[in-house]
Amino acid sequence: MLSLLTEVDEVYLHGHQLARVGLGGNMEPLTGAKMDMVCHQMAAPVQWRMADDGQSCIPKPKLLPERVVRQLEVPARHEARLFRAVDEVTSAPFVSASGKIVMENGYHEEARSILLDCPTIIAKPEHDAQWALSYMRMLISDFEFAGGVNGPEAASWIGALVTLVCRPMIEGPVPALSLEAARSGSGKTLMAKMLMALMGLALAPVPMSADEKELQKLLLSLVKTGRSMHTIDNVQLASIRSPSLAMLLTSEWYCDRTLGVSDASVYPNRALWVLTVNNATMNTDLARRTFRCRLAPSVARPEDRQGYRIQDIVRHCSENRGEILSRVLQMVVEWVAAGRPVPADLPIMGSFEAWSRVVGGVMRYAGCDEWLTNMRQAKEEAVD
């Protein structure tokens, strides 16, 4: 039966479990009835019984024994090698570890990724990486960043987008993007939704739970999807502390250990995690695992501001995904073509060295000298 499953194009290995892409583009573990259904489609197992004449046997459709289904759900190590491993499902083009733009829908072995619903990309843009950076700054120029649109806070948002399109180039974990402001209505959630729209994701951020056990369940449910980005929205705790989230951000794998269950399911953690933080302070562990994008509106009620250059920025991002992502890809491939230079004075985040060199290298090559120059201040404002 396992050899038959290897012939099903839709069956993959996600972490330690067999899975398929389900509704919404999420990885869906093949367990229980779902595994049974796939097996019946392939083999239609039967049980033979003696006919009334006592001379012949009659086939009778039969469900697979539960013990067989359980064995198929988590294949042995040598059996797992027969399946295509998937670490991420994305709906945006990306740059592979070898530096090539991937924009064909389907499974891509080098990146261990599945690409769905990729927008049309401009493969050979007319301008250079510096122009592409200016284009990205123009896109977010309606937001009031601390330090302005040319400062380090705005650079963090652009760097988050660079992270998403060159994730297969980064070995190891990536830090979370912390979208912060002192008051509500500043545009934090809007900026998170812009990233989600550009990645082709449903605009559905999830709330932060103050209960650590509930947060663990939430993180597990999100990691299981295999999606490229997750947003935890509207964090309003006076001081943000979460050992589970801090551990996840420096881990390449997330382990599901359910009380009373001896076997643990392990899932790859390839996503960019985004937090929108409203007038809260992070503890030291989380602060050194995030890069900050801080908004500083100049009015008391920022939600009432008028005169935006782009009236519906999220819709604009959704409708112009191909053009916007083409500019980000342009920054990445030009850096690759230049030999992937890494400046000697490039800021490096501990535990995220590979991310620092790849994303920082791209940003600095495009002329963003302010990249991560806010890192020290963010750490100094954290609490123990």
Side-chain angles (χ1 to χ4, degrees):
M1 184 61 72
L2 199 64
S3 62
L4 288 175
L5 285 173
T6 63
E7 300 176 10
V8 182
D9 288 340
E10 294 80 12
V11 176
Y12 303 93
L13 185 72
H14 182 51
H16 291 178
Q17 284 190 312
L18 294 184
R20 64 184 176 186
V21 180
L23 294 176
N26 297 330
M27 292 306 295
E28 179 182 80
L30 284 175
T31 57
K34 294 176 183 176
M35 175 63 78
D36 231 349
M37 182 177 67
V38 173
C39 290
H40 272 266
Q41 290 172 346
M42 289 296 297
V46 297
Q47 182 181 48
W48 295 86
R49 67 176 180 83
M50 186 68 69
D52 293 339
D53 59 12
Q55 301 296 320
S56 58
C57 293
I58 300 174
K60 175 184 177 182
K62 175 69 175 178
L63 294 176
L64 287 174
E66 185 178 346
R67 60 179 177 81
V68 174
V69 173
R70 287 200 303 268
Q71 289 173 346
L72 293 174
E73 290 172 1
V74 183
R77 184 183 297 272
H78 69 279
E79 297 169 334
R81 297 193 186 102
L82 302 174
F83 295 88
R84 295 169 296 172
V86 172
D87 291 344
E88 178 184 17
V89 181
T90 182
S91 295
F94 56 85
V95 182
S96 68
S98 60
K100 297 179 180 179
I101 297 178
V102 177
M103 48 187 171
E104 298 83 19
N105 290 323
Y107 175 75
H108 297 275
E109 183 176 7
E110 181 188 3
R112 295 164 60 109
S113 299
I114 298 174
L115 178 56
L116 305 172
D117 303 321
C118 183
T120 301
I121 297 300
I122 304 171
K124 295 182 179 179
E126 300 176 357
H127 304 283
D128 59 14
Q130 288 72 29
W131 181 90
L133 177 63
S134 298
Y135 176 93
M136 298 308 300
R137 285 170 170 165
M138 176 195 65
L139 177 69
I140 57 177
S141 60
D142 280 330
F143 293 89
E144 295 187 285
F145 297 96
V149 74
N150 293 323
E153 311 290 340
S156 291
W157 188 90
I158 300 172
L161 201 47
V162 172
T163 301
L164 287 164
V165 302
C166 67
R167 185 63 179 93
M169 300 177 67
I170 303 168
E171 294 185 7
V174 300
L177 172 66
S178 176
L179 295 166
E180 304 177 12
R183 59 174 67 94
S184 59
S186 302
K188 306 178 300 298
T189 300
L190 203 59
M191 298 211 77
K193 288 184 175 181
M194 288 172 65
L195 291 172
M196 297 173 79
L198 289 167
M199 298 306 292
L201 297 171
L203 307 180
V206 298
M208 176 86 167
S209 174
D211 184 276
E212 188 68 10
K213 290 184 178 180
E214 290 300 317
L215 183 59
Q216 287 177 349
K217 295 178 183 177
L218 171 65
L219 296 177
L220 174 61
S221 68
L222 294 175
V223 170
K224 280 183 176 180
T225 67
R227 298 302 295 192
S228 56
M229 172 187 166
H230 304 296
T231 299
I232 300 178
D233 190 32
N234 201 25
V235 180
Q236 299 190 44
L237 308 178
S239 178
I240 306 173
R241 301 172 185 270
S242 172
S244 300
L245 181 56
M247 179 189 69
L248 175 64
L249 292 176
T250 51
S251 302
E252 296 183 62
W253 299 86
Y254 191 90
C255 182
D256 168 26
R257 286 208 175 273
T258 305
L259 188 63
V261 178
S262 58
D263 294 328
S265 298
V266 182
Y267 301 93
N269 174 35
R270 282 271 295 272
L272 171 68
W273 294 82
V274 178
L275 310 176
T276 69
V277 181
N278 191 44
N279 197 27
T281 302
M282 288 192 179
N283 76 332
T284 304
D285 282 344
L286 279 178
R288 66 185 184 86
R289 290 169 167 85
T290 60
F291 60 112
R292 184 174 70 178
C293 173
R294 186 176 48 167
L295 296 169
S298 58
V299 294
R301 298 180 61 86
E303 67 273 15
D304 294 335
R305 283 179 58 209
Q306 300 293 326
Y308 291 104
R309 188 181 59 81
I310 302 176
Q311 290 300 319
D312 190 340
I313 189 66
V314 175
R315 181 176 179 179
H316 176 82
C317 288
S318 182
E319 293 178 348
N320 297 277
R321 292 177 63 215
E323 180 180 2
I324 296 170
L325 291 172
S326 294
R327 310 309 177 194
V328 184
L329 289 166
Q330 180 180 359
M331 295 167 61
V332 179
V333 296
E334 284 196 21
W335 175 71
V336 171
R340 310 189 189 198
V342 177
D345 61 343
L346 185 71
I348 302 294
M349 287 185 69
S351 301
F352 305 103
E353 290 82 2
W355 171 85
S356 299
R357 293 185 176 92
V358 172
V359 178
V362 172
M363 295 293 287
R364 288 285 290 272
Y365 184 79
C368 185
D369 293 334
E370 63 276 8
W371 169 250
L372 282 193
T373 56
N374 59 348
M375 182 170 60
R376 180 184 294 274
Q377 181 182 358
K379 290 181 178 179
E380 290 175 349
E381 294 176 357
V383 297
D384 293 327

